Structure formats: C-alpha cells, structure tokens
Amino acid sequence: MIDSVYLVQPRIAHGPHVPCDDSLRGRRIERIARAGKQVRISLSGGWTLVVHLGMTGRLIVTAADESPAKHTHLRIAFRGEPVELRFCDPRRFGGVWLVDGNPDEAKGWIGRRIPPVAADPLRISLAQWRKLIARPRQIKALLLDQNPLSGVGNIYCDEALHRAGIHPLTRAADLSPAASRKLYHALRRVLTEAIALGGSSVSDYRNAQGAPGQFQTRHRVYGREGQPCRRCRTPIIRLVVAGRGTHICPKCQRLR
Ligand SMILES: [Zn+2]
C-alpha cells in the first residue's frame, strides 16, 4: 500500500491529477503492464499511473534508505515495506500521468497528453507488420518514430537491421517481401532476447532492480565501430541516420 509520494520534479507530471500523498496514499498497486515505452501501473480505486520512459527514463525499485540517483523525479514509498519505487529520467523526454479511470478517456487535463501507444512488434502478425511498414520512409527512421510501431529504440533497431541484412537508409516500402519478413522475425528475436537479458547497458541504463542489463554482450553492431562483423569480419562502421548514431556492417547491409 502506498504510504508517501514525493514529486521531486513537478514538471514531469501531467494529467488530471498530481502524484502526491493526497492522491495516492492508501492505494495499492494491482497490476503493472507495459505497452511500447509506457508502463501502466493500475492502482486500487480504478486509478492508473502511466509512466512514459521516453529515451532515458527508468523505473527502479530500491531500498528506501538508499540516496536517490541523480535525475530522480518521483519517489513512492510503501507502508511497512523497506523499498521505494523511483522514476529517473536524465533527458526528461518521459513523464508521468496520474488519471482516475481509463487513461485513454481521462478528462480535466493539465499538461502533455499521454503519447499514443502504437502497435507492439511482439504482438502483431507478419501480415499486420507488412501493412504497417509499407511507407515511403527510411526504415530506421520509421522504426524509431514510435508510430506506427512502438517500443523500438536505437540499439534494438540497429541490431535487428544487421540480423536481417538491411541498410538503415532503405525505403521501407521498397523492402522485398522476403526482406520484410526477415526484419519482422529479426526484430522480434532481438526484442525478446533483450527483454530476457534485462536490456542493454551502454551508458547509464539500469533495470528495475538497479542492475545493468546483459544484452550488450550480444550486440553485433551497436557500439562496435571498427570491430569485425561477427558474420563476415568486415569492420563495423558508424553513420548518422535519423539523427541517431547508427552502426552497420557495410558488407552485410548493402544499400540496394
Ligand atoms: Zn558483415
């Protein structure tokens, strides 16, 4: 049961209600679900705390007496439990929304709207995937956009494109049916594996238990500039695509 709430950085909070002692004390966490980059925490009384992780946001469960990490914006303490739930977000592209009732129908809004959650690559069929990505945009920019697909970040995008042998500048609508199918399966494999290994820790990412992820040990291209491709031994190169550092094997991922 929630005992106390400390909103360290009020600017991260949006929606009809502010997370504070008055709004949250006494409520229980009933269910936690992820959709794209959002974590929806269902609370007793039909309320929901939506946490959007943005680019660098993370939710951690930590000992209540541990001093908060830098950029900790929200702290929630529980009655009789020596732990706290904390939201940290150095870049602040994320945020929290506290709503009573269905978050998608909330009224009396203050601040930013909850970013819509687009289709999750792990929950769509190959046929749905083909329809969603048939667009005249570069495939990397399309995947990173969080619309029409959600939850694909920079690292997983590069890793999936390498596994599928696709250059990030390829126009999505120009992918052959075989390449499109390959990318669908590669992306799902990368995401599934990364979730199982607790994500990738390349700078400051930590999972909910405060431990670094382990998927970075499986990276084939990301952060491996100058190192040999694990498939063909060609040195990995770094480009900038869609404004983001991008790693590819120039031999396995030719621009057609
Ligand atoms: Zn290669």
Side-chain angles (χ1 to χ4, degrees):
M1 185 188 287
I2 294 174
D3 191 41
S4 67
V5 179
Y6 178 25
L7 182 60
V8 186
Q9 172 51 268
R11 285 164 65 184
I12 62 137
H14 315 274
H17 302 279
V18 176
C20 61
D21 286 351
D22 280 352
S23 58
L24 289 178
R25 178 176 287 148
R27 293 186 193 278
R28 290 174 189 284
I29 292 180
E30 294 183 334
R31 192 167 160 265
I32 299 178
R34 179 193 70 87
K37 292 188 175 190
Q38 283 178 25
V39 180
R40 292 188 170 204
I41 303 174
S42 303
L43 303 165
S44 54
W47 287 44
T48 305
L49 183 65
V50 179
V51 180
H52 186 70
L53 301 175
M55 190 173 143
T56 54
R58 62 181 195 259
L59 276 172
I60 51 170
V61 176
T62 181
D65 57 5
E66 194 171 310
S67 56
K70 220 173 155 187
H71 309 295
T72 297
H73 304 316
L74 178 67
R75 299 171 60 178
I76 298 177
F78 301 89
R79 195 163 302 168
E81 304 279 350
V83 294
E84 277 188 11
L85 177 64
R86 295 177 182 171
F87 175 60
C88 312
D89 186 9
R91 300 286 296 269
R92 269 206 252 154
F93 288 117
V96 300
W97 288 257
L98 180 59
V99 295
D100 49 348
N102 183 345
D104 301 315
E105 297 166 5
K107 296 196 173 70
W109 211 268
I110 305 158
R112 280 168 65 197
R113 289 271 166 183
I114 301 174
V117 178
D120 187 320
L122 291 176
R123 291 175 195 150
I124 56 172
S125 67
L126 178 58
Q128 289 171 309
W129 160 267
R130 288 193 195 283
K131 217 182 253 174
L132 287 172
I133 69 157
R135 301 191 184 197
R137 289 190 67 190
Q138 293 164 355
I139 185 64
K140 174 147 184 180
L142 184 69
L143 291 177
L144 286 184
D145 201 27
Q146 303 307 309
N147 184 36
L149 291 159
S150 68
V152 184
N154 195 38
I155 297 174
Y156 305 140
C157 187
D158 282 8
E159 291 299 318
L161 288 169
H162 178 264
R163 282 159 172 76
I166 294 168
H167 193 285
L169 290 175
T170 309
R171 239 171 56 118
D174 292 345
L175 288 172
S176 69
S180 173
R181 189 189 66 235
K182 247 179 152 173
L183 182 57
Y184 168 77
H185 290 298
L187 189 56
R188 290 163 61 95
R189 265 202 312 277
V190 163
L191 292 172
T192 305
E193 210 180 315
I195 289 167
L197 290 173
S200 289
S201 288
V202 291
S203 51
D204 58 356
Y205 172 78
R206 294 292 181 274
N207 65 23
Q209 282 76 42
Q214 293 302 321
F215 186 68
Q216 70 278 9
T217 62
R218 308 280 179 92
H219 287 183
R220 298 190 191 176
V221 284
Y222 193 86
R224 297 190 66 244
E225 188 180 5
Q227 295 177 49
C229 170
R230 296 197 206 278
R231 190 184 295 149
C232 73
R233 314 304 295 166
T234 304
I236 300 301
I237 59 168
R238 183 180 182 278
L239 332 163
V240 175
V241 177
R244 304 294 302 276
T246 297
H247 296 79
I248 68 163
C249 167
K251 193 172 171 196
C252 294
Q253 297 169 266
R254 292 230 171 94
L255 188 57
R256 286 180 228 294

